[in-house]
Amino acid sequence: MLTAALVCLLVPLLAFVVQIFFGQRLPRHGDFVSIAAIGTVLAAAVWVFVHVVIGADPGYSWSFVFDWVHLEEFQIPMGFAIDGLTAWMLIVVAGISFLVHLFSVGYMHGEDRYHLYFGYLSLFSFSMLWLVLADNLLGIYVGWELVGVSSYLLIGFFFPKMSAALACKKAFLTNRVGDLGMWLGILIVWKELGVLRLEQIYHLIGSGAFSSHPALTVAGVLLFIGAVGKSAQIGLHVWLPDAMEGPTPVSALIHAATMVAAGVYLVGRLFPILTPEALLVIGYTGALTAFFAATIAIVQDDIKRVLAYSTVSQLGYMMVGLGVGSYYGGLFHLVTHAFFKACLFLGSGAVIHAVHTQNIWEMGGLRKKMPITFFAWIVSTAAISGFPYLTSGFFSKERILGDAMGLGLAQPQHFLIFLLPMVAAFITVFYMTRVTIVTFFGKPRNVEKYEHAHEGSWVLTAPLIVLSVMTLLGFSYAGLFEQSVVPLTAADYAGAEYAEVHFGESVREGFPGGGLLADSHAVAEHGANIESSGHEVSSAEGEHASLAAHGAGHHEVWGPHQVDEHVRHTGHTAVVYLSLLALLVGFGLAYLIYYQRRSYETLAKRYAGAWRLLYNKYFVDEGYMVGIIRPLLRLNSLAALFDRTVIDGIVNGSATVTRSLSGASGWSDRNFVDGIVNGLAAITQFFGATVRRIETGRIQHYFLFFLGGTLVLMLIRIY
């Protein structure tokens, strides 16, 4: 297992180094190096998946820990861990990355800096795989920041174009806001517990080591803020639509399938320690995001921007799932969305490659020209719309909405967490049907572009076919996912064996806590204890009801919000019918408005204000510009003015005074000190020159001087 983990990390990193330094000199600019590297990673990921998900018991966990920093009493261990969720994420990241690499060969052919593009893809793959494999918060944060750097490089790949240069900076800076919140959350955990490894955190919180319930809630919310930035939730969502300035395969890889899902993955990893209050914050954030982004997608004309806002909305669904305690639903939607949204983005790339425009109103009738792309698009659209039983999206979205409705029925004050995503489900069907009709049906709106349109080569169509198959076969792996990705509570990790760091390689078979799931009596007792204490459960209980009880299927309550199982079942039943209604109504309205062309122009004119509001994305960017960016720029200008006039004035004034004093001191030194010294030297030289004449070297002169001196002395003595 260690070998597989190292292959997943080192091979793409090596490919990045090769591409950066030698790619331009290699045949085909070295694209085969990155493709071979990610293909090797995919093979390793499949091996891990077979051994962990298919071959091992639920609850299997492998880890390898080494001493990273050790200074006397201070040490920080670093390590890698693989369990069921990790195995699924490796398949998603490596699988979609491999298909994107393949698609990029055809899509990016002939572009400048082609070798750098594949180098950046390899760097992103390494960064995301590090994030997935890390077993502690610091390791996750390292991967988190590396993913941000990779995103910056790929979004701004066409940096000579100003819009791309601005988009990559916007993405980088917006994510820094979320990363600050995440870092503060990590610091709180470190201050409270003194550890960063996830299993140790679970153990200590399950043992009651956190100072208070509110502090644990604050730490969870701060860590979630990092996910808000990376997963483009409301407030920090503004970067993702602009990120469409990057190459379309990058949009499929980073901003639809993997990078944006990192926030959801983080919440899934932190799920055992999140309090019900923190989960409600997550649930409401996701619900608002799902509705907010879906409404904006209704009026977008750029095919990639429609999908971008769709991605934001679907990420909101995932957060709703985790927020209402639907651990399986939220994370399974991460997997299904990765496949069908990557298919949609690559499909849009194939369309853009064929017609050389992103404006859907310059397309039309392309189903006849591009049948394979059209088939893949229809399958993926059906999945995102929740078409029943045939597509993967139905199983994950229905699970999320059903659990959300269960919470809403059990706690009516939180019914909005269900209502907003349910309305967003109808809107999703509407805008996806709209973009499908405008792009692939009707008469060509630009005949010249239509005539030149054609299906791409096999490197463009093969990934679409593979992703379509994965989207259609969702029912085949839904049960396997639920079996292998099992939610646990912090209390399940409270056993003493998790208190210490075990350096080196270790394997855990089965669940922590002594096989809680296998013992129905223990499940019932554990759940009863939680039920009796309700929301007053201490942090030692992890603030969660036993989701393990749901796994056994015999307990009367479910999830961290204590939802009655019967109420939850009622919610799921109702959601099936509501989803079908949303599917029919959304499709019907879009069909009448855009296929029959009865009213979309009239509606746009009649509701011009609402249309303008949605088209301008609720003016959030403008609000940030007026409320944050311009005040900051003014503050910067004032700070610069203060620096120039006050700070520089003091410094420059001090320099002027110092120079004046130095000049006066120099004049004094030259004219007085040096004058005295030089004057004494001149006098000495004068007398020396005068007396020197006496020293002639002739004895008669000396005798004469002797007689003269004697005569003078005699005269002095006489007188």
Side-chain angles (χ1 to χ4, degrees):
M1 199 64 72
L2 178 61
T3 302
L6 292 177
V7 166
C8 290
L9 293 174
L10 298 182
V11 171
L13 182 60
L14 178 62
F16 165 70
V17 173
V18 170
Q19 284 297 98
I20 292 296
F21 292 103
F22 310 107
Q24 198 165 13
R25 302 186 187 97
L26 295 174
R28 292 172 45 187
H29 290 245
D31 58 3
F32 60 89
V33 174
S34 293
I35 294 173
I38 197 62
T40 304
V41 172
L42 178 58
V46 171
W47 184 88
V48 170
F49 185 85
V50 170
H51 282 73
V52 174
V53 175
I54 299 177
D57 294 330
Y60 171 91
S61 178
W62 168 90
S63 63
F64 179 83
V65 182
F66 58 94
D67 204 2
W68 187 46
V69 175
H70 194 168
L71 301 172
E72 295 182 357
E73 299 299 323
F74 178 77
Q75 67 174 2
I76 299 179
M78 184 66 72
F80 311 113
I82 295 176
D83 58 9
L85 178 57
T86 307
W88 279 97
M89 285 298 296
L90 289 177
I91 285 291
V92 168
V93 174
I96 293 178
S97 185
F98 177 77
L99 294 175
V100 167
H101 276 69
L102 194 63
F103 188 91
S104 297
V105 172
Y107 190 88
M108 297 295 291
H109 178 72
E111 292 287 350
D112 293 336
R113 297 173 293 110
Y114 182 76
H115 68 291
L116 287 180
Y117 171 80
F118 278 92
Y120 295 159
L121 286 184
S122 295
L123 177 62
F124 170 80
S125 300
F126 162 75
S127 306
M128 191 67 197
L129 290 165
W130 176 283
L131 189 156
V132 169
L133 288 167
D135 78 330
N136 63 84
L137 288 178
L138 185 60
I140 290 175
Y141 193 77
V142 171
W144 200 266
E145 295 304 311
L146 285 172
V147 165
V149 172
S150 306
S151 174
Y152 173 83
L153 294 172
L154 286 167
I155 295 171
F157 184 75
F158 296 131
F159 67 86
K161 187 169 63 171
M162 181 58 68
S163 57
L166 293 175
C168 69
K169 287 192 290 186
K170 184 176 183 179
F172 192 80
L173 293 174
T174 304
N175 273 276
R176 295 292 72 72
V177 177
D179 294 352
L180 176 61
M182 182 180 175
W183 182 245
L184 292 175
I186 292 174
L187 291 180
I188 290 177
V189 172
W190 174 262
K191 175 182 176 295
E192 292 279 345
L193 305 178
V195 298
L196 292 173
R197 288 196 68 234
L198 292 174
E199 279 202 344
Q200 286 183 292
I201 293 171
Y202 301 156
H203 159 76
L204 291 172
I205 291 177
S207 301
F210 224 83
S211 61
S212 66
H213 180 92
L216 182 58
T217 300
V218 170
V221 171
L222 285 172
L223 288 167
F224 170 65
I225 289 175
V228 170
K230 201 69 75 183
S231 291
Q233 297 298 282
I234 190 168
L236 297 180
H237 69 284
V238 292
W239 68 270
L240 194 143
D242 288 0
M244 298 303 106
E245 292 293 338
T248 301
V250 170
S251 302
L253 177 64
I254 296 182
H255 311 113
T258 51
M259 172 186 157
V260 292
V264 181
Y265 174 77
L266 175 66
V267 176
R269 279 294 177 212
L270 298 174
F271 191 80
I273 70 172
L274 295 172
T275 65
E277 292 80 6
L279 288 173
L280 284 176
V281 171
I282 294 170
Y284 274 107
T285 302
L288 290 169
T289 303
F291 175 80
F292 173 84
T295 56
I296 297 176
I298 294 174
V299 299
Q300 297 301 307
D301 298 330
D302 186 318
I303 188 171
K304 287 176 65 176
R305 284 187 175 268
V306 173
L307 297 180
Y309 281 106
S310 171
T311 297
V312 176
S313 182
Q314 296 302 308
L315 291 167
Y317 276 102
M318 300 174 205
M319 293 300 184
V320 167
L322 293 169
V324 301
S326 184
Y327 184 83
Y328 163 77
L331 292 176
F332 187 52
H333 197 55
L334 183 157
V335 174
T336 61
H337 174 265
F339 290 125
F340 65 68
K341 184 53 67 65
C343 188
L344 284 170
F345 263 109
L346 293 183
S348 71
V351 170
I352 295 168
H353 188 263
V355 297
H356 303 289
T357 182
Q358 296 179 196
N359 192 326
I360 60 175
W361 299 108
E362 296 181 15
M363 303 176 189
L366 291 177
R367 73 184 189 282
K368 300 175 183 178
K369 289 275 191 174
M370 309 177 70
I372 298 176
T373 302
F374 173 67
F375 169 77
W377 183 277
I378 289 295
V379 169
S380 302
T381 299
I384 197 174
S385 301
F387 194 86
Y389 301 108
L390 292 179
T391 61
S392 59
F394 169 78
F395 295 96
S396 53
K397 283 183 69 174
E398 187 277 335
R399 183 63 172 267
I400 293 171
L401 291 172
D403 290 340
M405 188 174 189
L407 174 64
L409 294 174
Q411 302 178 27
Q413 69 272 25
H414 301 307
F415 195 77
L416 194 65
I417 294 181
F418 161 73
L419 183 60
L420 289 177
M422 190 68 246
V423 175
F426 153 72
I427 299 174
T428 300
V429 179
F430 178 83
Y431 69 68
M432 287 306 302
T433 305
R434 167 184 177 264
V435 72
T436 301
I437 291 173
V438 174
T439 303
F440 291 98
F441 289 87
K443 296 180 180 179
R445 296 173 184 82
N446 189 313
V447 178
E448 181 180 356
K449 293 182 182 297
Y450 176 80
E451 292 297 331
H452 288 88
H454 58 85
E455 196 71 84
S457 62
W458 71 271
V459 293
L460 296 179
T461 56
L464 296 175
I465 295 171
V466 173
L467 291 169
S468 300
V469 171
M470 294 301 297
T471 300
L472 284 174
L473 295 179
F475 65 89
S476 65
Y477 53 85
L480 185 62
F481 185 90
E482 186 169 14
Q483 178 184 354
S484 57
V485 181
V486 181
L488 297 167
T489 71
D492 296 323
Y493 287 87
E497 64 270 21
Y498 297 100
E500 301 296 331
V501 178
H502 301 288
F503 290 98
E505 190 171 6
S506 61
V507 177
R508 184 184 72 228
E509 299 286 353
F511 295 96
L516 181 63
L517 297 188
D519 187 347
S520 61
H521 176 70
V523 169
E525 182 180 355
H526 182 67
N529 290 337
I530 293 175
E531 182 187 7
S532 64
S533 57
H535 281 289
E536 297 301 320
V537 177
S538 69
S539 58
E541 295 292 332
E543 300 299 340
H544 284 203
S546 177
L547 296 183
H550 168 61
H554 296 295
H555 201 266
E556 60 181 356
V557 296
W558 173 89
H561 298 294
Q562 300 290 284
V563 178
D564 183 87
E565 182 66 25
H566 175 71
V567 173
R568 177 172 167 269
H569 178 72
T570 302
H572 277 273
T573 303
V575 160
V576 172
Y577 294 106
L578 289 174
S579 298
L580 290 174
L581 179 63
L583 189 66
L584 293 174
V585 174
F587 175 79
L589 281 177
Y591 177 83
L592 290 175
I593 294 173
Y594 294 100
Y595 191 81
Q596 297 292 338
R597 299 186 179 184
R598 293 185 178 181
S599 57
Y600 70 88
E601 293 179 350
T602 304
L603 288 173
K605 292 179 181 178
R606 181 178 298 177
Y607 301 103
W611 184 91
R612 192 179 304 110
L613 180 67
L614 297 179
Y615 189 79
N616 290 284
K617 303 158 287 187
Y618 291 96
F619 296 98
V620 173
D621 285 289
E622 290 78 1
Y624 282 158
M625 181 63 70
V626 172
I628 297 178
I629 298 174
R630 286 179 183 168
L632 283 176
L633 291 175
R634 292 193 189 99
L635 181 62
N636 291 342
S637 299
L638 289 174
L641 179 63
F642 181 81
D643 182 68
R644 289 193 303 270
T645 56
V646 179
I647 305 299
D648 287 354
I650 293 173
V651 173
N652 295 336
S654 300
T656 302
V657 171
T658 302
R659 289 177 60 189
S660 300
L661 292 175
S662 299
S665 175
W667 184 87
S668 174
D669 183 67
R670 288 190 303 271
N671 292 276
F672 288 97
V673 178
D674 289 353
I676 294 172
V677 173
N678 295 335
L680 291 173
I683 293 170
T684 302
Q685 286 179 342
F686 171 77
F687 282 106
T690 304
V691 174
R692 183 178 59 186
R693 296 175 181 176
I694 300 174
E695 299 293 333
T696 62
R698 296 179 179 180
I699 192 167
Q700 56 269 32
H701 290 171
Y702 296 154
F703 184 73
L704 182 62
F705 292 152
F706 173 75
L707 290 178
T710 302
L711 181 61
V712 171
L713 289 174
M714 289 176 65
L715 291 174
I716 292 172
R717 183 69 179 266
I718 294 171
Y719 293 102

